[in-house]
Amino acid sequence: MRCPYCGSENSRVIDSRHSEDNNSIRRRRQCDDCSKRFTTYEKIETEPLSVIKKDKTRQMYDRSKIKAGIVQSCHKLPISMGQIDQLVDEIENKIYNLGQREVESSVIGGIVMDKLKELNEVAYVRFAAIYREFKDVNTFMSELKKLLK
C-alpha cells in the first residue's frame, strides 16, 4: 500500500477491524519510511451492476449518486453523515442481494424511498418530490396523505 504522505510502498498494518456490516475491513497502517499513519479500507469486490434508466439506457451502478440524492434530501435535518453512510450501505446490500446484474432505476428508487421513510419522513418527502417528479400540488398532497396513514 502506497503511503499518501511520502509515496513509499513500505508500510505495515498496525490494526485491523471488520466494519459493522462485515463487508469491509478497516486497516490502520504506518509508513516504514516517514512513520506517518493512515487508514485504508478493503471491500469485497462484487460483479459489475448495470442500472436500467427510465429511457431504457444502461449505466454502471454508482454508489455516489445514491449518496448525493440522500445527502440533498437530508439537508438541514438532524441526520449525521454516519447515518447516511450506513443507510447507503443498507441500500447497496439490498440491491446486490437481489442477485441481478441489471436493476431498473425504479427498483433502486423504491428501495431508497423505503429506507428514507424509516430514517426521516421529511427526507422521504423531499426525495419523493424529486424522484417521482410531482407535477402539481395534488400529486404532492396524495403522497403526503399516504405517509400520514
Side-chain angles (χ1 to χ4, degrees):
M1 182 59 59
R2 187 179 302 272
C3 174
Y5 301 104
C6 71
S8 170
E9 292 189 17
N10 300 321
S11 66
R12 60 194 148 128
V13 176
I14 296 171
D15 181 41
S16 290
R17 295 183 186 174
H18 289 279
S19 66
E20 291 178 15
D21 62 2
N22 284 327
N23 284 339
S24 62
I25 297 175
R26 177 184 181 272
R27 297 197 192 278
R28 195 73 182 130
R29 297 178 176 269
Q30 183 171 358
C31 178
D32 291 335
D33 293 339
C34 71
S35 299
K36 292 197 177 180
R37 293 182 177 191
F38 57 98
T39 303
T40 60
Y41 292 90
E42 291 181 19
K43 189 168 176 113
I44 298 169
E45 188 172 7
T46 56
E47 287 190 35
L49 180 68
S50 294
V51 178
I52 303 170
K53 307 296 279 180
K54 288 179 186 176
D55 64 359
K56 302 300 179 199
T57 60
R58 286 167 171 70
Q59 290 183 353
M60 293 305 295
Y61 168 76
D62 185 357
R63 173 189 172 97
S64 64
K65 288 184 178 183
I66 293 174
K67 186 173 181 178
I70 292 172
V71 167
Q72 187 176 10
S73 298
C74 295
H75 183 67
K76 292 190 178 182
L77 293 175
I79 299 169
S80 70
M81 284 306 291
Q83 287 174 293
I84 291 172
D85 286 333
Q86 182 179 351
L87 188 73
V88 174
D89 287 343
E90 291 172 15
I91 292 165
E92 194 170 58
N93 286 338
K94 197 162 186 176
I95 293 167
Y96 279 107
N97 286 338
L98 295 173
Q100 300 172 352
R101 295 186 75 188
E102 293 185 330
V103 179
E104 291 190 20
S105 61
S106 60
V107 172
I108 295 172
I111 294 170
V112 172
M113 286 182 42
D114 289 343
K115 291 292 185 179
L116 273 175
K117 191 186 290 187
E118 294 171 15
L119 180 69
N120 186 288
E121 291 176 345
V122 174
Y124 164 78
V125 171
R126 286 178 180 173
F127 187 86
I130 295 168
Y131 174 70
R132 293 224 173 119
E133 299 174 348
F134 294 149
K135 302 284 188 251
D136 55 27
V137 175
N138 294 329
T139 315
F140 186 73
M141 287 304 294
S142 67
E143 187 67 33
L144 283 176
K145 286 177 186 174
K146 280 189 229 173
L147 182 62
L148 292 173
K149 287 181 183 177

